[in-house]
């Protein structure tokens, strides 16, 4: 399980939360609800790259399926035209 701290503890001990986040994500909880996660910049950048890569794979799959189904750029333009 991830380390969890209360919002007031995070506020009082921000430096410690940042240090802990360098090792693992830290969940901040307010009124018995998880409201935020603090994570290292390296982990954040890894997640952003992963999301971009997954989105590109999704777009490639959709494009391939559309091409297989016979959708051409000309047909797509017709579908998108404001007539």
């Amino acid at each position: 399980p991830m380390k969890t701290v209360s919002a007031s503890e995070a506020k009082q001990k921000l430096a410690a939360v940042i240090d802990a986040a360098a090792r693992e994500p830290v969940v901040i909880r307010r009124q018995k609800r998880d409201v935020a996660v603090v994570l290292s910049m390296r982990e954040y950048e890894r997640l952003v790259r992963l999301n971009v890569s997954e989105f590109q794979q999704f777009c490639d799959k959709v494009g391939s399926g559309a091409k297989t189904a016979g959708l051409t750029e000309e047909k797509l333009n017709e579908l998108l035209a404001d007539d």
Side-chain angles (χ1 to χ4, degrees), residues 19-30:
D19 289 343
R23 296 182 296 280
E24 66 177 327
V26 178
V27 176
I28 299 176
R29 181 170 281 176
R30 180 186 293 151

Side-chain angles (χ1 to χ4, degrees), residues 14-62:
L14 180 60
V17 170
I18 291 170
D19 289 343
R23 296 182 296 280
E24 66 177 327
V26 178
V27 176
I28 299 176
R29 181 170 281 176
R30 180 186 293 151
Q31 298 176 352
K32 300 180 183 178
R33 291 183 332 130
D34 296 341
V35 295
V37 177
V38 179
L39 50 108
S40 69
M41 184 55 73
R42 187 166 79 189
E43 181 65 5
Y44 171 78
E45 289 169 346
R46 185 189 72 79
L47 290 171
V48 168
R49 282 192 307 274
L50 180 63
N51 286 339
V52 168
S53 175
E54 286 180 356
F55 182 69
Q56 185 60 56
Q57 289 174 11
F58 169 76
C59 290
D60 292 346
K61 185 176 178 180
V62 169

Side-chain angles (χ1 to χ4, degrees), residues 62-76 78-79:
V62 169
S64 177
K67 186 175 181 178
T68 300
L71 183 64
T72 64
E73 191 169 336
E74 182 179 292
K75 288 180 183 178
L76 180 61
E78 288 175 16
L79 290 170

